[in-house]
Structures are given as C-alpha cells and as structure tokens.
Amino acid sequence: MPLFEIETNAHIIITWAEDEQAAKQVVDEAYPSDELIRMTKRPRDSWVISKGALGLSTPTVDPCGVARDCLSKSSGDKVHAIRLYRQETGSDLETARKVIESNMVMGW
C-alpha cells in the first residue's frame, strides 16, 4: 500500500492508502475543515524526518567564532552583533548578549 504525504493549511499528514482518493478521504474524515494544499505519493514505504531540520541535533558550533564573525559584520556595534548572533544561532537574547559581550572583552 502506498504512503502519502498530505499537506493541509494546518497539518502535514503521513498515511497509507490504496490511492489518492482514499488518502484524501483520510484527511476529510480526520480534519474536515482543513484545506488540502498538496498531496505526494512517496516513492518508498517509509518516512524519515531529519533531526537537524527539527532543531534536535547538536551541531558542533564554536560560539566564540560565530560571535567574532557577528562582531566583525556589525563593525563592533554590540546591539547589531547580538541581533546577528541570535539570527545565526537561534539563541535567546540573554545568551546572545553574554556571548557577544564576552567576546568584546577578549578583543574580538
């Protein structure tokens, strides 16, 4: 039985079904108010989700290297460097502030 990936305006559904009509029926029964956006018949019978895409992996990133790069891009402007650091790493404001200020003291 084929595996279908179905995207609606509110959900992404992975289901087995005999054909596209049966897959659409699964969505209609489970989420009748959802609007179907996309339906894809998967080429294999398994589904894989990247942990990195979900933010669950622990990449080896040198926070000081990223901070120095952000300070360089911002020409030493601390507030702008903090914004850049948050964008690069997804860190919260307090963590970004500590890392940037620590690297400013070290003379980035």
Side-chain angles (χ1 to χ4, degrees):
M1 188 176 319
L3 184 65
F4 288 88
E5 172 187 348
I6 306 158
E7 182 179 357
T8 71
N9 58 314
H11 299 92
I12 295 177
I13 302 154
I14 311 303
T15 189
W16 279 278
E18 290 296 329
D19 54 25
E20 285 189 16
Q21 185 59 36
K24 185 178 181 324
Q25 185 176 354
V26 168
V27 176
D28 290 342
E29 290 173 4
Y31 303 102
S33 62
D34 281 16
E35 177 185 329
L36 185 71
I37 295 173
R38 178 180 57 86
M39 183 182 304
T40 305
K41 182 177 174 184
R42 303 301 300 171
R44 293 182 175 75
D45 64 352
S46 61
W47 180 253
V48 177
I49 299 173
S50 167
K51 289 174 76 174
L54 296 175
L56 300 175
S57 62
T58 54
T60 56
V61 174
D62 174 21
C64 291
V66 174
R68 286 191 294 271
D69 186 47
C70 292
L71 281 161
S72 179
K73 288 177 185 175
S74 69
S75 301
D77 179 339
K78 180 174 92 171
V79 174
H80 186 57
I82 290 170
R83 267 191 234 113
L84 290 172
Y85 187 85
R86 290 185 71 197
Q87 289 175 346
E88 290 283 326
T89 64
S91 298
D92 63 14
L93 180 61
E94 187 62 22
T95 301
R97 182 190 63 77
K98 286 178 183 177
V99 173
I100 293 296
E101 287 178 351
S102 297
N103 278 276
M104 289 179 81
V105 171
M106 288 189 260
W108 59 277

